[in-house]
Amino acid sequence: HPRGADGRHRRVPAREGSRQLIDVRHEGGAAVVTVDRPDALNALDLETLTALRDQLRRLSEDVDTKVVVLTGAGDRAFIAGADIKYMSGLDVEQAKAWGELGHEAARLLETMPQPTIAAINGFALGGGCELALACDLRYASSKAKLGQPEINLGIIPGWGGTQRLARATTLGFAKELILTGRTVGADEALERGLVNAVTEPEDLLPRVMETALQLAAKSPLALEAAKQAINRALSGDHAENLARESDRFGELFASEDAKEGLTAFAEKREPKFVGR
Ligand code: CAA
């Protein structure tokens, strides 16, 4: 962090004199994170992916952010993948670090306390599909195209696609998409469980925001506990995971939110959750 004349840290824009690559807008408890590089179909180069990772890390620690929405600028792409021009110059060590950076961003989406929603407004290819897969919910425009075309570049998915695609869909479908590099339209993605719902393009953001604001009104403690428990569903020891669910279920009864939720039902009114 550069210091000003008074010795205090100053905030410096990511690229002086130019637009931010990651736009973050707050709306009623939801943070809408937009990858804003439409000329490159929102492909992620080092600067853009670093900025995305940093914003996700910041939001994961922000108690006023109840839900995170990830989308892409323009009407063509969510994220068309890792920036192929940037990757073409990498050696093995650099490529490993690049893979880790993408994993960090994906892991934040997957494990941050808040629910994360991908609003897939167009191409979600390669790393774009992988970041969508790391989100808790995925909504797609009917014009969206999804896939893992890395094989056509002589490489493989590097930000979690070999694992999360199989978990979200089936092992067989994941192998088909990753080995052939075939991209699928929104309807096939829906049929396969790769996305939760498909809307007309103009309805996508309203639909996602409606869901985001519904989630923002729920108990953040309960949402986090549910997300963490479900994240274990397809890994580790089943009996241990069930025992952990039981523990978390019980622990929530110490919260004001659980008391409020259970009481509000009995009193036939809407609960008002406070996150304690
Ligand atoms: N990297 C860098 N630039 C990209 C890009 C990418 N992944 N995807 C698109 N662009 C750029 C194009 O180069 C083009 O830039 P110029 O105008 O400067 O030439 C611009 O975005 C518009 O794209 P097109 O002209 O290609 O648009 P189109 O409509 O003809 O095709 C497309 C659209 C089918 C998405 C095509 O752009 C494409 O195939 N893109 C690459 C998709 C891909 O392979 N993604 C996976 C990357 S590998 C990866 O992500 C690794 C990983 O797991 C981490």
Side-chain angles (χ1 to χ4, degrees), residues 1 6 10 28 62 116 137 151 165 171 176 195 222 228 234:
H1 286 279
D6 57 1
R10 282 184 297 126
D62 176 21
T116 52
L137 302 175
I151 203 78
L165 182 56
L171 192 64
E176 188 206 333
V195 300
Q228 286 179 351
L234 300 178

Side-chain angles (χ1 to χ4, degrees), residues 135-155:
C135 291
D136 298 312
L137 302 175
R138 285 171 287 286
Y139 294 97
S141 140
S142 57
K143 284 192 182 156
K145 293 247 182 317
L146 300 92
Q148 300 288 161
E150 287 90 342
I151 203 78
N152 300 325
L153 303 166
I155 57 174

Side-chain angles (χ1 to χ4, degrees), residues 39-41 43 76 80 82-85 87 127 130 149-150 157-159:
D39 293 347
L41 299 183
R76 293 207 60 214
D83 189 300
I84 298 170
K85 291 158 204 165
M87 285 194 298
E130 293 174 287
E150 287 90 342
W159 299 347

